[in-house]
Every structure is written in C-alpha cells, then in structure tokens.
Amino acid sequence: MKHTMPELPYAPEALAPAMSKETFDYHYGKHLQTYVDNLNRLIAGTPYEAMTLDQIVRKSEGAIYNNAAQTWNHTFFFLMLTPEQRPMPQRLAERLAAEFGSVEAFKEEFAKAAAGLFGSGWVWLAADKGGKLHILAESNAGNPMTRGMRPLMTLDVWEHAYYIDYRNRRADFIGAWWGLIDWDKVAERCFPARYGCTSCDYVYDPATGDPESGIKAGTAFEEIPDDWVCPVCGLYKDAFAPLPEQ
C-alpha cells in the first residue's frame, strides 16, 4: 500500500494569520511530505507494506513507527483545522464540562500541557476504551493509539509547526491555534457514529461493540479491522454506512 499526502479542504493561505502560508508550505509541503516519502521507502518489501497506516502505527517500532506516526499525526492535525470556525457543538461542550469542570478549564489544562511539553511532540485529547477523556502530552511521534486510546484532537508542538510565525513564543501559537479548530470534527470523534449494514438490519453500535468477534465496547467503527464482517449476513466492513444521529 502506497501512502500519499492528504487532500485538504482549504487553501495553504487560508489559515493566515494564525498559520501563515510560509509555515504551511514548510510544515505540510516539506515536513509531512518527507515523512510520507520515508515511510513508503522503509516499508517496501516488508509486511508493513500491506497494512493500513493505523495498523503500522499500532504494530511497528523504530524508524518505521516514527515516520508512520508522524504521517498519521500530521494528517490528523491538518484535517482538524478550518479557516471558518463554527461554535462548539453543545453536546461536546457538555461532555468537556462533565470531564474537566468547564470548557475553559479544559482549554487551560490542554494549553498548560502543550506549553509545558519539553522539546518536540504532540498534545492530545483522547478517549480510553471506557469513553473517559484524557489530555496526553506525548514526546516526538507519540500517538494515543499505541495505548489503546482513540485520538479526538491534537496540537503539534514541534518547533517547525510555529517557529516561522512565532519564533520561540509557543504560548502565542497555542493561543492562535484555538481559533482554527473544527469543533464539529472533534465532536464527531468524541461521539462515534453508529453504522448499519446495507444488506441486512444489523447496526454496529460503538457503545456495545461486537464482543463475539473480539470487538470491545467503546471501539469506533473506524478502528474495527478491515477483515471484520457483519455478524448477521457476513458482508465486509465496506458494506456499512453511517446512520443519522439519534
């Protein structure tokens, strides 16, 4: 499987002034491209060549892990941004308030973790298998999936993410970044969708999983192995479609 650069729903200059086109050209156009190129080179002729990017991140080590995780992390980061931020969905605000005391308390704790992470790395909002939310500061290419958690939101605090625009003022970059988050996408990840089989009446609900097939409760549909099949009619995962919110 050849890995490629993600197609973004906005132009390189669209995130300015919080993130300039120059920063974007280097961060997305050069750094991410290098990780993608290195990953494809490193996995050629290995068992990882047949795996999805998620699978490589969960199973690999060393240079392959570093380049796979950085490809995954950056793709997730860039696809979470928007030049036209909308208000945070009420259900997400309520969830954050329930877990952290208030939305503002969540933002303060997240920003503190991002400002305090020594050196390079990523700060994540992630959900464990029980659905509890956690703020994780991970060095270098760290990704919550290696802990069995589901990533919901991330901030890149490697210097290449902000040095052109903010020099060493990481706190200013963090402050500007809050205005670029697509809260609708964070909410979608926080509340995994139910998926229905297009051939029968079976509905996959992340809240219950599919224990008989080894899929634990709390597993988002996107995290199910590609070879999983409908327990009723036997169709593969790609025969499922997301269902409307209840």
Side-chain angles (χ1 to χ4, degrees), residues 88-98 102-103 191:
M88 181 183 294
Q90 185 63 28
R91 61 176 181 163
L92 177 59
E94 292 173 354
R95 179 73 179 278
L96 293 174
S102 68
V103 172
F191 301 94

Side-chain angles (χ1 to χ4, degrees), residues 12-21 23 83 162 164-166 169 172-173 176-177 180:
E13 65 274 10
L15 302 181
M19 188 180 295
S20 70
K21 183 178 183 300
T23 286
Y162 61 87
I164 290 174
D165 296 330
Y166 300 92
R169 304 189 312 276
D172 290 349
F173 167 63
W177 168 78
L180 298 177

Side-chain angles (χ1 to χ4, degrees), residues 46-173:
T46 75
Y48 296 111
E49 193 172 19
M51 296 183 187
T52 65
L53 187 57
D54 287 31
Q55 291 171 329
I56 298 173
V57 172
R58 289 187 174 96
K59 297 181 179 182
S60 63
E61 297 177 343
I64 290 179
Y65 169 79
N66 287 334
N67 285 278
Q70 285 292 75
T71 296
W72 198 101
N73 296 355
H74 279 89
T75 298
F76 189 87
F77 173 73
F78 285 121
L79 290 177
M80 192 195 68
L81 305 179
T82 178
E84 299 179 357
Q85 188 181 63
R86 293 167 51 175
M88 181 183 294
Q90 185 63 28
R91 61 176 181 163
L92 177 59
E94 292 173 354
R95 179 73 179 278
L96 293 174
E99 295 271 5
F100 299 98
S102 68
V103 172
E104 286 308 312
F106 157 70
K107 288 184 175 181
E108 289 176 8
E109 185 175 339
F110 193 100
K112 182 178 179 180
L117 178 60
F118 182 77
S120 301
W122 300 80
V123 178
W124 302 84
L125 175 66
D128 63 25
K129 288 298 184 181
K132 181 175 176 57
L133 303 184
H134 301 266
I135 293 172
L136 304 174
E138 297 276 3
S139 61
N140 300 320
N143 185 298
M145 292 193 298
T146 62
R147 302 186 184 204
M149 294 184 178
R150 185 174 75 254
L152 307 176
M153 185 177 88
T154 194
L155 172 59
D156 184 350
V157 292
W158 283 65
E159 285 188 342
H160 63 240
Y162 61 87
Y163 212 82
I164 290 174
D165 296 330
Y166 300 92
R167 296 299 186 263
N168 64 337
R169 304 189 312 276
R170 183 188 288 184
D172 290 349
F173 167 63

Side-chain angles (χ1 to χ4, degrees), residues 217-232:
T219 303
F221 185 80
E222 292 78 8
E223 298 174 0
I224 298 174
D226 291 337
D227 59 359
W228 175 82
V229 298
C230 175
V232 174

Side-chain angles (χ1 to χ4, degrees), residues 91 191-196 203-206 241-246:
R91 61 176 181 163
F191 301 94
R194 297 159 66 244
Y195 278 72
V203 172
Y204 177 79
D205 187 343
L243 300 176
E245 294 180 16
Q246 293 180 312

Side-chain angles (χ1 to χ4, degrees), residues 23-61:
T23 286
F24 207 87
D25 287 344
Y26 276 92
H27 194 184
Y28 173 83
K30 296 185 183 298
H31 285 278
L32 176 52
Q33 183 69 70
T34 298
Y35 291 126
V36 172
D37 292 343
N38 285 343
L39 176 61
N40 286 322
R41 175 177 55 81
L42 289 167
I43 64 175
T46 75
Y48 296 111
E49 193 172 19
M51 296 183 187
T52 65
L53 187 57
D54 287 31
Q55 291 171 329
I56 298 173
V57 172
R58 289 187 174 96
K59 297 181 179 182
S60 63
E61 297 177 343

